[in-house]
Amino acid sequence: MSNNVTSKSNPFGDTTAENDRPMLSSAFIETADFRALIETDDRTVVVGRRGTGKSALFIQLHEHWKKDRKILVLSFSPDDTQIIGFRSMLKPFTGSFNLARAATRLLWRYAILMEIASHISSHYKLSSHIASDVVLSEHTKRWISVHGDILRRCRVIAKEYLDETNPEESIGDLQFNLKISEIEASIIKLLTGADRRVIILMDKLDEAYEPDNLGIGIIAGLTYASIELNQKTNCIRPIIFLRDNIFRALSKEDPDYSRNIEGQVIRLHWDWAQLLMLSAKRMKVAFCLDIEKDQRVWDRCAADDLKGRNGFKRCLQFTLYRPRDLLSLLNEAFFSAFREGRQIIISSDLEYAAKSISMARLEDLWKEYQKIFPSIQLITSLFRNIEPELTVYTCLKRIEASQEVIDDCEDPKIISEVRLLKSSGILQSLYSVGFIGIYDKNTSSFSFCHDGRTPDKGFENDDRLLIHPCYWLGLNLNKNALTPEEAEEINDEYDISVVSENSAIRNKTIGQITTHLDQIPHGVEGAVEFEQWCLDALRIVFASHLTDIKKHPNGSAVQRRDIIGTNGGKSDFWKRVLEDYKARQVVFDAKNYSDLGASEYRQLQSYLTGVYGKLGFIINRDDDEVLKAGKDLDWTREMHQSHQALIIKLPAKFISKLLQKLRNPEKHDAIDSQMGKLLTLYETSYMAIKSTQRKRR
C-alpha cells in the first residue's frame, strides 16, 4: 500500500455520495436494485433509510442514462428554501390531506411536463415541434420567462389559479386552466415521433419536510403524478427517491396507498454479500490490489481473527447493514491502523471505530424517525446501562414502568403516542426501525428489520430480544461486544440476519421470462414472440453494459438487423469486443429454430460492416452453446477466415442460464465472466481447429 493511501483518513471514500464521486465512478456496485431500475419500468418510487445509498444510486443512474444520446436525463434535488416557498402557495389546503394531494398531483404533473418542454425547446432538432404547437409553445414561453428553479416557476404560474376562499373549485378548474391534458398529449406525441425518451430523477425531497397534511400531501401528489406519467407512456420515466420516514408517513396517511402506490415501490436493501462486494471493490481501488475474489481481498486487509466470512460479518454487526455505516467503520478502523504503522486492521482498530460511531448511529436513528415516532429518543434511552439481551416481558415492563418519565416530558405528541400505542405498539415500532431484533428458533439467530417492515406475528412474553449491537456502546450497555470472547459468542449465538422482501421483485421478472421461453413454439409460428423474448431477456442480461437495446432499428432498410445495442465498453468483456472487433453497435440475430446453416451465417456476416464491427451473435433454439462439428463449426471458421468476422452462437437456453445467475447477488460479475469464457473458447479453440468436413474424391 502506498504512503499516499496510508495517510488518508477516509481511504475508502466519503460517506456522502455527493462528495464521493471519484470512488463512485470506479467502485460502484451494480446491486439488484440498480439493475431492477435500469431493466424495467414498473417501479417509480425508491425508498431507503439514511445511508442506504439513495444519493449514490441517483448519481449512477444519471451517469448510466446520459450516455444514451436518445435519452434526455433531467434531475431535480431541491433545497429547503425551495420547498418552503412551494408550501407557502398551498396554504388553502392546510386542513386537508386529500385536497393537498389532489392539488399537488396536478401541479407536479404540469411542472414535470413543462420542464421537459423547456429542454426540448432548446434542442436544435426538436425545437421546431414546440413552435408548431400553439398551446405547447405558449405555455413553454411562459414557463421559461419565470426565472428560478422548477418549484418557483410552478408557484409563480399556478398561484393565480388558487383561490383561498374556494380551494375545492380551484382544484376542479386547475387542470383546465393549465391545459395539462393537452400539453401531456402533445409532449408524448412529440417524444414518440422523435424516438426520444425522458428520464426524470428526483431526490432530496425530505428537505424542509414536515409530517403534516401539507408536507405529506406534497410528497403524495408528486408520487401520484410520477406513477401516472410512468404508466401512461414509455417515453417518460420518473423515479422518486424517498427516505423511509417520509414514506412511512405517506403509507400511513394515504387511504389509497395499498391500491395505487404499494406495487410501485422498490426498497433499498443490502445483505452481507453485497456489502462484502462494496468493501472489496473499494479496497482494490484504494490499495491497488489485483485480487479477483471478494473474500480474498477482505482477508488480505484483515488480521487473522477478522478473516473469513464470519470475520466480515462480525464487522457488520456494528452497522445497520448500510453502506454509510460500513464505510465509516472501515475508514475509522484503517485510520487507526495507519497511525500505528499497520496496513491491516485488528480487533482493537474495530473497537476504536465502533466506539466512535455507535453514538452517531443512535443520533441518526433519532433524527430519522423523531417526526413520525416522536417518543423514539425517550424510549430508546430507557435501555441504557442494561444487558443487551432481554425478553419481551421484561422489555414491556421497562416501557410501562417509565410512564412517569413520559408524563413529565411535557410533549403532548410523545404522551399521546405512548397512550395510543401502549407498550406492545411501542415494542413493534422499535422492531420496525431496527433497534431491537427477535430470536428466530428456526434459524437459531436474531432477525433485525432494516427495511421498515413490522413483524408478521405478535410477540410472545418469553420471546428473546436483542438490542442491535451497533447501539451497545452508545447506550453504555453492560456487555462489551468487542472483546474476543464475547465477539465469538455473538458469531455463534447472535448470528444476525437481515429481513427483506426486495429480492422477489427481480426474481419474479426473471422467472416469468425464463419459463415463457418453453411456451414459445419453434419455427415461423412463434418467430415474432421469440424475437420479443430475446429483446426482453437481452435488456435484463446486458442492462448495465449495453444501452438502447431495441428491435429493427432500420426495419425498412435492405440490411435489417433483428436486435442491436450500443456498446460503450463498460465491462471487461464488452471493452474487449469494442477494442478487438470494433463493434460499437452489437447485432443479435434471432432465429426461432435449432439448426443453423450457410444462409444464417452469411446473412449475419453481411450485417457486420462499419459501426457493427466484426463480431455478431445468432440467438437460436439449440440446447447448448457448443458448436457442432461439420455444421456450426465449419461455417463459423469460414466467416472468420474469409471475412475476418466472428459469429457466436448464443442459444436462448444459454441466455436463460445467464438470467438465472442474476438471482444471486454474489454472482454480480457472472454475466461478464461467462461471456468472456465463451469468447475465449471461440478465439483459442474453435478458430484453431481444422475443417471437420470430409473432402470428396
Side-chain angles (χ1 to χ4, degrees):
M1 298 180 193
S2 67
N3 291 331
N4 185 38
V5 171
T6 56
S7 65
K8 288 184 177 180
S9 58
N10 292 328
F12 307 118
D14 199 278
T15 54
T16 57
E18 294 81 2
N19 301 323
D20 193 41
R21 290 178 183 267
M23 187 62 84
L24 269 181
S25 64
S26 53
F28 177 71
I29 296 295
E30 293 184 352
T31 61
D33 301 320
F34 174 81
R35 293 188 65 93
L37 288 168
I38 63 174
E39 289 165 4
T40 64
D41 292 345
D42 57 352
R43 303 282 162 163
T44 307
V45 185
V46 179
V47 177
R49 298 183 62 176
R50 284 173 178 260
T52 49
K54 294 188 300 298
S55 295
L57 196 56
F58 176 88
I59 291 168
Q60 290 304 114
L61 286 172
H62 191 283
E63 292 298 310
H64 171 79
W65 274 312
K66 79 174 187 181
K67 294 174 182 175
D68 191 331
R69 58 187 176 82
K70 291 195 174 183
I71 293 179
L72 169 64
V73 185
L74 305 180
S75 57
F76 168 52
S77 302
D79 57 36
D80 54 353
T81 58
Q82 296 171 26
I83 297 291
I84 291 169
F86 192 65
R87 278 181 62 99
S88 68
M89 175 188 63
L90 300 168
K91 285 180 182 177
F93 314 108
T94 303
S96 169
F97 164 77
N98 287 333
L99 288 180
R101 183 186 70 180
T104 54
R105 179 173 66 87
L106 294 172
L107 293 175
W108 278 117
R109 193 167 145 210
Y110 178 75
I112 290 171
L113 291 170
M114 293 317 303
E115 278 295 288
I116 295 172
S118 66
H119 280 78
I120 291 175
S121 68
S122 61
H123 191 281
Y124 73 101
K125 279 188 177 180
L126 305 178
S127 57
S128 59
H129 295 283
I130 297 280
S132 62
D133 188 305
V134 177
V135 173
L136 191 55
S137 177
E138 176 190 342
H139 279 261
T140 303
K141 288 176 182 176
R142 187 180 181 189
W143 182 263
I144 295 172
S145 68
V146 179
H147 297 291
D149 56 86
I150 181 176
L151 287 180
R152 185 178 186 276
R153 285 173 166 173
C154 183
R155 175 164 54 90
V156 169
I157 292 173
K159 67 181 180 181
E160 66 179 271
Y161 302 115
L162 299 178
D163 183 359
E164 290 189 23
T165 61
N166 197 342
E168 291 89 349
E169 189 174 332
S170 295
I171 294 173
D173 293 338
L174 196 57
Q175 178 156 329
F176 301 99
N177 287 331
L178 293 176
K179 299 186 178 179
I180 296 174
S181 296
E182 294 176 53
I183 291 170
E184 181 180 84
S186 295
I187 289 177
I188 291 174
K189 181 181 178 182
L190 192 160
L191 292 172
T192 304
D195 191 21
R196 293 290 192 276
R197 195 163 179 243
V198 179
I199 306 291
I200 304 153
L201 304 174
M202 292 165 278
D203 191 17
K204 293 188 177 177
L205 297 165
D206 55 310
E207 297 292 335
Y209 166 75
E210 293 290 338
D212 54 13
N213 284 331
L214 210 51
I216 302 172
I218 290 172
I219 300 299
L222 173 60
T223 304
Y224 275 81
S226 300
I227 290 172
E228 286 169 5
L229 282 171
N230 187 49
Q231 292 177 336
K232 187 163 289 188
T233 175
N234 293 327
C235 301
I236 303 175
R237 171 86 163 101
I239 300 176
I240 313 166
F241 295 82
L242 294 181
R243 191 175 286 175
D244 180 61
N245 59 333
I246 297 176
F247 187 73
R248 286 191 194 210
L250 170 60
S251 61
K252 182 179 178 181
E253 187 69 30
D254 190 346
D256 302 317
Y257 163 78
S258 59
R259 183 174 74 249
N260 297 328
I261 299 177
E262 191 171 32
Q264 293 287 327
V265 178
I266 185 168
R267 276 191 172 273
L268 297 186
H269 164 71
W270 293 77
D271 58 24
W272 74 268
Q274 291 173 318
L275 289 168
L276 178 61
M277 292 178 210
L278 173 73
S279 304
K281 201 158 188 178
R282 294 200 174 218
M283 286 174 174
K284 289 180 185 180
V285 174
F287 302 144
C288 301
L289 299 177
D290 186 17
I291 304 173
E292 184 177 351
K293 297 290 184 182
D294 294 336
Q295 190 64 62
R296 290 181 183 174
V297 174
W298 171 259
D299 293 346
R300 164 68 178 79
C301 300
D304 291 340
D305 56 339
L306 294 178
K307 289 183 185 295
R309 180 181 297 185
N310 287 336
F312 179 71
K313 284 187 174 182
R314 181 178 157 194
C315 293
L316 291 181
Q317 288 168 353
F318 302 100
T319 74
L320 287 170
Y321 280 70
R322 302 182 300 189
R324 183 183 297 175
D325 294 353
L326 181 58
L327 292 178
S328 295
L329 188 74
L330 294 181
N331 278 334
E332 289 284 351
F334 274 91
F335 187 58
S336 173
F338 296 160
R339 288 189 302 181
E340 296 184 12
R342 286 180 284 102
Q343 297 181 344
I344 60 173
I345 55 170
I346 59 177
S347 291
S348 61
D349 300 321
L350 193 61
E351 180 178 356
Y352 163 80
K355 281 181 178 178
S356 67
I357 68 171
S358 182
M359 192 60 214
R361 295 289 78 79
L362 193 59
E363 289 174 352
D364 265 358
L365 185 73
W366 297 340
K367 290 176 187 175
E368 185 163 10
Y369 292 111
Q370 64 181 351
K371 289 184 177 179
I372 63 165
F373 187 178
S375 62
I376 188 169
Q377 182 172 348
L378 189 149
I379 294 295
T380 53
S381 297
L382 298 175
F383 295 88
R384 292 185 185 278
N385 306 312
I386 65 170
E387 292 292 324
E389 185 182 340
L390 60 167
T391 65
V392 167
Y393 178 79
T394 56
C395 184
L396 292 174
K397 287 299 180 185
R398 178 167 287 274
I399 297 172
E400 290 168 3
S402 64
Q403 192 62 51
E404 289 185 11
V405 178
I406 293 168
D407 290 339
D408 292 341
C409 73
E410 298 182 354
D411 187 334
K413 290 182 180 178
I414 293 177
I415 295 171
S416 63
E417 177 180 63
V418 175
R419 286 178 180 172
L420 178 66
L421 295 179
K422 298 185 169 39
S423 56
S424 59
I426 293 292
L427 178 60
Q428 291 211 339
S429 296
L430 291 175
Y431 172 82
S432 71
V433 299
F435 180 76
I436 59 168
I438 186 169
Y439 188 76
D440 187 340
K441 295 176 183 177
N442 295 324
T443 61
S444 299
S445 66
F446 284 93
S447 292
F448 286 80
C449 176
H450 293 304
D451 59 3
R453 293 200 305 130
T454 52
D456 54 7
K457 68 180 184 67
F459 290 112
E460 302 293 336
N461 278 341
D462 59 349
D463 284 343
R464 293 164 58 193
L465 302 176
L466 183 73
I467 297 172
H468 197 287
C470 85
Y471 302 123
W472 288 11
L473 295 168
L475 291 169
N476 195 31
L477 299 190
N478 294 338
K479 180 173 281 188
N480 182 349
L482 293 168
T483 64
E485 297 80 10
E486 288 164 339
E488 184 177 346
E489 182 184 5
I490 290 170
N491 283 336
D492 292 337
E493 188 178 357
Y494 304 148
D495 184 18
I496 297 172
S497 60
V498 183
V499 178
S500 176
E501 296 175 333
N502 247 27
S503 60
I505 295 173
R506 295 183 65 256
N507 288 350
K508 181 180 179 181
T509 303
I510 290 171
Q512 289 172 341
I513 292 176
T514 53
T515 54
H516 182 208
L517 177 63
D518 294 331
Q519 300 167 5
I520 301 174
H522 289 225
V524 176
E525 181 186 353
V528 175
E529 191 177 357
F530 178 67
E531 191 174 300
Q532 184 61 46
W533 183 93
C534 292
L535 180 65
D536 294 339
L538 292 173
R539 280 177 170 168
I540 292 179
V541 171
F542 300 125
S544 57
H545 301 137
L546 300 178
T547 59
D548 199 23
I549 301 176
K550 56 189 177 182
K551 290 194 296 183
H552 307 318
N554 56 345
S556 60
V558 175
Q559 298 284 65
R560 197 189 77 173
R561 300 161 177 85
D562 276 10
I563 299 170
I564 67 162
T566 303
N567 177 17
K570 294 178 65 177
S571 68
D572 291 341
F573 170 75
W574 290 109
K575 186 177 180 182
R576 184 174 162 191
V577 169
L578 183 61
E579 292 179 352
D580 295 354
Y581 297 92
K582 311 303 178 189
R584 173 67 67 183
Q585 300 294 330
V586 182
V587 182
F588 299 89
D589 206 5
K591 303 297 181 187
N592 193 32
Y593 43 84
S594 299
D595 293 334
L596 301 176
S599 61
E600 288 80 12
Y601 280 91
R602 284 175 175 153
Q603 181 185 43
L604 181 53
Q605 181 275 319
S606 69
Y607 297 163
L608 302 180
T609 59
V611 294
Y612 300 97
K614 289 295 180 181
L615 184 144
F617 298 91
I618 296 181
I619 304 175
N620 73 335
R621 301 299 294 270
D622 212 342
D623 290 331
D624 59 60
E625 67 277 12
V626 177
L627 294 185
K628 297 172 183 174
K631 280 182 155 186
D632 303 331
L633 184 56
D634 285 313
W635 279 111
T636 302
R637 293 185 70 251
E638 171 67 21
M639 295 300 104
H640 188 252
Q641 291 177 356
S642 302
H643 304 281
Q644 293 75 52
L646 185 60
I647 295 175
I648 295 178
K649 183 178 74 170
L650 205 63
K653 287 189 176 181
F654 180 77
I655 296 175
S656 286
K657 291 177 185 177
L658 297 182
L659 281 168
Q660 296 289 354
K661 290 183 181 295
L662 291 175
R663 292 175 179 266
N664 190 342
E666 295 182 63
K667 297 181 178 179
H668 63 290
D669 57 351
I671 303 298
D672 214 53
S673 175
Q674 291 294 315
M675 294 299 293
K677 288 178 181 177
L678 186 61
L679 179 55
T680 299
L681 176 66
Y682 271 73
E683 290 177 338
T684 61
S685 182
Y686 291 153
M687 296 305 101
I689 297 174
K690 293 182 178 180
S691 176
T692 56
Q693 288 184 343
R694 293 183 179 180
K695 293 183 178 179
R696 294 181 180 179
R697 291 184 178 181

